[in-house]
Amino acid sequence: MKLKKVKQSVIISIALLVAILLTLPRVLSLFNVVQQLTDSFTTPSLLDILFRFLFSIFIFWVFLQYNTNLRFFFSAYSTVKRNLIAIVVNSSFFTISIPLFHYLYPFFSRQDMLRAEEGLIHFVNLIVILILIFISSVLRYQIIHKQDLIENHKLKQEKIQSELLALKNQINPHFLFNSLNSLSSLVRDNKKATTFIGKLSFMYRYILQSGARDTVTLREELQFLESYVHLIKTRYQDRFSINITIEEQWLNNEIPTLALQLLVENAVKHNEISKEKPLKVSIFNTEDYLVIENKMQSRRTYVDSTGNGLVNLSRRYDLLQGKRIVITSNATIFRVKLPLS
């Protein structure tokens, strides 16, 4: 799932507001509105107030920026790991920011800070930062919730479009099946032809029946793939082969419909297949992934392809299961790993 950052205007507005509230007592003291503040703390001045104000905006902006977009920065990590990283980073940044403030203060304000005020600054900034972290959590939850609603809406829209497309393709499925049965009876004496027609009929029925489903079991997908591979082998004979080795325990796991067919079709479409260079596709499981790989044999001729197949499959995994496929390739091997658990 593509994560979005919280709008900078929101973060800057909050940081600005908190900085104003934090420096307001000193502004009031500057004009003798709260006289007792000048007796216990450093005498306020325009440079003093300006430095505190700008430094506060910067520090609060960094804290808000980091904590609000924590999920964006560390999207590859689990929630527990992200929270641990957040604690370490926030503690480290707070530990550095306060000494930095004391170090820079004399240079910009042209005066020294009273010791009585240093401890209070530590305490006040700690309280403010804890409040900001809470605000960041609320903002982060809101943006994630809003994004989930948007993604769910997109998924519903895409499902509706898929169903409409399926309806267009189902103008009269019975007519097609009857035609295939009639064709099969005409070539009854040709075993290869009747088998081919049977596999094609099974594929079409599977596509129609699974059109209303977002996912199917791996077992069902492999049954469909067997028919699809038969059609490919009918064309390429021994120039194409596929080796499937999957443990029984994974066969009931669900994957997006036609995911394996798309990857095998992708391998056939983009690789040279000849007697000199036969194509072999391997499908196997390793840990929590289903791996589909083939040897790279780039075609010499032009391949008519939109290039959207893998992109769409990746998006379907993201929307349906919140997981990501892993695509790797080098000079010899092209590999796609589909999450199983």
Side-chain angles (χ1 to χ4, degrees):
M1 183 181 295
K2 186 178 180 181
L3 303 176
K4 295 181 180 179
K5 288 187 177 182
V6 176
K7 289 183 178 180
Q8 291 302 308
S9 59
V10 176
I11 293 177
I12 294 173
S13 298
I14 295 174
L16 182 63
L17 177 61
V18 175
I20 290 173
L21 293 175
L22 201 61
T23 54
L24 182 60
R26 299 195 65 77
V27 175
L28 296 175
S29 179
L30 181 64
F31 295 99
N32 295 321
V33 176
V34 187
Q35 183 64 41
Q36 60 268 31
L37 287 176
T38 59
D39 299 332
S40 303
F41 305 114
T42 308
T43 304
S45 65
L46 290 176
L47 289 176
D48 166 78
I49 293 173
L50 182 62
F51 172 70
R52 290 171 186 258
F53 180 69
L54 295 178
F55 189 86
S56 296
I57 289 178
F58 173 73
I59 295 299
F60 299 155
W61 176 82
V62 171
F63 267 95
L64 284 167
Q65 177 74 19
Y66 173 72
N67 289 282
T68 304
N69 297 302
L70 182 65
R71 190 166 180 249
F72 178 87
F73 292 132
F74 301 102
S75 58
Y77 293 91
S78 64
T79 303
V80 175
K81 287 185 178 179
R82 282 200 300 267
N83 290 335
L84 290 175
I85 293 173
I87 292 173
V88 172
V89 173
N90 284 321
S91 301
S92 301
F93 191 74
F94 178 76
T95 304
I96 295 171
S97 62
I98 298 301
L100 181 63
F101 174 82
H102 292 311
Y103 176 77
L104 295 176
Y105 181 81
F107 292 98
F108 289 92
S109 65
R110 306 296 174 85
Q111 61 180 335
D112 293 326
M113 184 181 295
L114 298 178
R115 282 192 171 274
E117 191 177 358
E118 292 182 3
L120 181 63
I121 288 177
H122 281 75
F123 177 75
V124 170
N125 279 279
L126 177 61
I127 297 300
V128 171
I129 285 172
L130 289 175
I131 294 173
L132 290 178
I133 291 175
F134 173 76
I135 293 173
S136 299
S137 301
V138 174
L139 290 174
R140 189 167 64 246
Y141 170 78
Q142 288 180 339
I143 195 68
I144 292 172
H145 179 65
K146 183 178 179 181
Q147 188 170 340
D148 287 342
L149 291 176
I150 293 173
E151 294 294 347
N152 288 334
H153 178 70
K154 288 182 179 178
L155 183 58
K156 288 180 180 178
Q157 290 297 111
E158 291 180 358
K159 185 175 181 180
I160 291 172
Q161 291 177 357
S162 298
E163 290 175 353
L164 289 174
L165 181 60
L167 287 173
K168 291 179 181 178
N169 294 331
Q170 293 180 45
I171 296 174
N172 197 338
H174 293 292
F175 173 77
L176 177 61
F177 286 126
N178 291 335
S179 298
L180 289 174
N181 289 332
S182 299
L183 180 60
S184 180
S185 65
L186 291 175
V187 293
R188 187 175 302 167
D189 296 332
N190 189 323
K191 186 177 180 180
K192 288 185 178 180
T194 54
T195 302
F196 184 92
I197 294 170
K199 298 291 185 182
L200 181 60
S201 178
F202 172 79
M203 286 180 58
Y204 187 71
R205 182 177 286 105
Y206 177 87
I207 293 172
L208 291 177
Q209 291 175 347
S210 62
R213 301 167 59 187
D214 294 320
T215 60
V216 294
T217 64
L218 181 54
R219 189 187 306 275
E220 292 175 294
E221 188 72 2
L222 287 173
Q223 290 174 349
F224 172 78
L225 184 64
E226 188 272 332
S227 295
Y228 179 69
V229 168
H230 181 86
L231 269 58
I232 296 176
K233 285 187 174 182
T234 301
R235 176 182 177 185
Y236 291 105
Q237 303 296 325
D238 57 355
R239 290 170 290 170
F240 175 84
S241 62
I242 186 168
N243 181 40
I244 301 175
T245 308
I246 301 174
E247 297 174 9
E248 178 72 22
Q249 68 188 70
W250 299 108
L251 295 181
N252 290 324
N253 286 58
E254 300 212 341
I255 63 173
T257 309
L258 303 179
L260 293 183
Q261 183 271 337
L262 184 148
L263 294 175
V264 173
E265 180 184 27
N266 192 64
V268 173
K269 183 186 297 183
H270 293 279
N271 290 277
E272 179 183 346
I273 305 177
S274 61
K275 289 184 178 180
E276 295 75 19
K277 291 185 176 181
L279 178 65
K280 180 179 180 180
V281 176
S282 297
I283 301 177
F284 56 92
N285 67 279
T286 170
E287 297 179 353
D288 295 338
Y289 286 95
L290 182 65
V291 183
I292 300 89
E293 67 177 27
N294 61 270
K295 187 177 179 181
M296 294 285 284
Q297 301 174 175
S298 299
R299 281 182 177 271
R300 299 175 184 175
T301 56
Y302 170 76
V303 178
D304 185 14
S305 174
T306 61
N308 292 328
L310 288 176
V311 175
N312 291 338
L313 179 60
S314 179
R315 177 168 172 75
R316 286 166 64 196
Y317 258 98
D318 195 5
L319 291 174
L320 293 170
Q321 301 182 3
K323 300 174 182 177
R324 297 183 177 181
I325 67 175
V326 180
I327 303 173
T328 56
S329 64
N330 52 45
T332 57
I333 297 293
F334 181 85
R335 181 182 295 113
V336 179
K337 297 172 68 177
L338 306 179
L340 278 177
S341 61

